[in-house]
Amino acid sequence: MHYAPDVATYSNPAQRAAESQEPERYAVQLRLSSDPLDAAQVPQLDIFDLYHLYSDMTVEHNQLRHALRLGFFKHVHTARAVARYLEPYFGPTTIVQIESAEVVRSLQHHVAPRKDVGASGLYASIELTAPPERLGASISPRQRTSGDKTSHGSLWSWLFGQR
């Protein structure tokens, strides 16, 4: 094998400067194993229609490791929310920061899950919400404690602006 193009990429100062300006990207690592991935054992989940499920190989302690990852996330907190959603299916997950080279590599290593777990077609939602106190922040204390329903109407009229 010839690795000269990769060596030139890393030795080019302009290329390194451009890479440092790239936005951070994250992936959820679902599995890490010394054995190659078996797509028949990966559950079919609707969330895999929304993100890119792929395999990647790394070397750790002179041993080849196969990773199953779901990407790509611009924000780590979004990756964490998705990771928590997937933990019942995969066990403990890890958030990994990835480089643009892995994004390119992942296009050649897409994984098509084949294990039917009855979760396909349901589109369960993952909801990122504000703290509960934020909803009541726009209501004055008088309106929150007032027993006079005519002063502010019902909850529905308050939500839809029909006071």
Side-chain angles (χ1 to χ4, degrees):
M1 288 191 145
H2 181 55
Y3 293 103
D6 292 334
V7 173
T9 300
Y10 289 113
S11 63
N12 183 344
Q15 179 69 26
R16 281 185 297 199
E19 286 179 2
S20 67
Q21 299 299 321
E22 289 182 9
E24 292 181 342
R25 293 185 186 128
Y26 301 93
V28 178
Q29 185 165 287
L30 303 170
R31 283 193 188 141
L32 185 63
S33 173
S34 57
D35 298 323
L37 198 62
D38 181 10
Q41 298 303 313
V42 179
Q44 293 177 347
L45 302 173
D46 291 329
I47 197 162
F48 298 151
D49 295 338
L50 303 173
Y51 297 99
H52 182 63
L53 184 66
Y54 67 99
S55 64
D56 193 50
M57 291 184 288
T58 60
V59 177
E60 288 183 5
H61 308 292
N62 295 325
Q63 185 179 18
L64 185 64
R65 307 288 279 170
H66 301 271
L68 177 64
R69 293 182 176 168
L70 183 66
F72 302 100
F73 302 93
K74 293 179 183 177
H75 305 286
V76 71
H77 61 274
T78 307
R80 283 186 189 130
V82 171
R84 282 192 296 271
Y85 172 79
L86 292 170
E87 281 182 351
Y89 298 99
F90 294 95
T93 59
T94 307
I95 308 301
V96 292
Q97 186 172 354
I98 58 173
E99 297 175 354
S100 59
E102 184 170 328
V103 175
V104 173
R105 265 193 330 265
S106 75
L107 299 175
Q108 298 173 346
H109 301 284
H110 176 73
V111 174
R114 295 193 307 247
K115 183 177 180 181
D116 185 11
V117 293
S120 184
L122 300 177
Y123 288 99
S125 63
I126 298 173
E127 187 175 346
L128 303 174
T129 60
E133 57 273 0
R134 185 146 188 212
L135 176 63
S138 61
I139 304 172
S140 71
R142 187 183 67 77
Q143 287 176 324
R144 274 188 252 156
T145 59
S146 172
D148 180 16
K149 293 185 182 193
T150 59
S151 66
H152 57 276
S154 70
L155 174 62
W156 289 106
S157 64
W158 179 79
L159 288 173
F160 293 108
Q162 300 171 352
R163 292 185 179 189

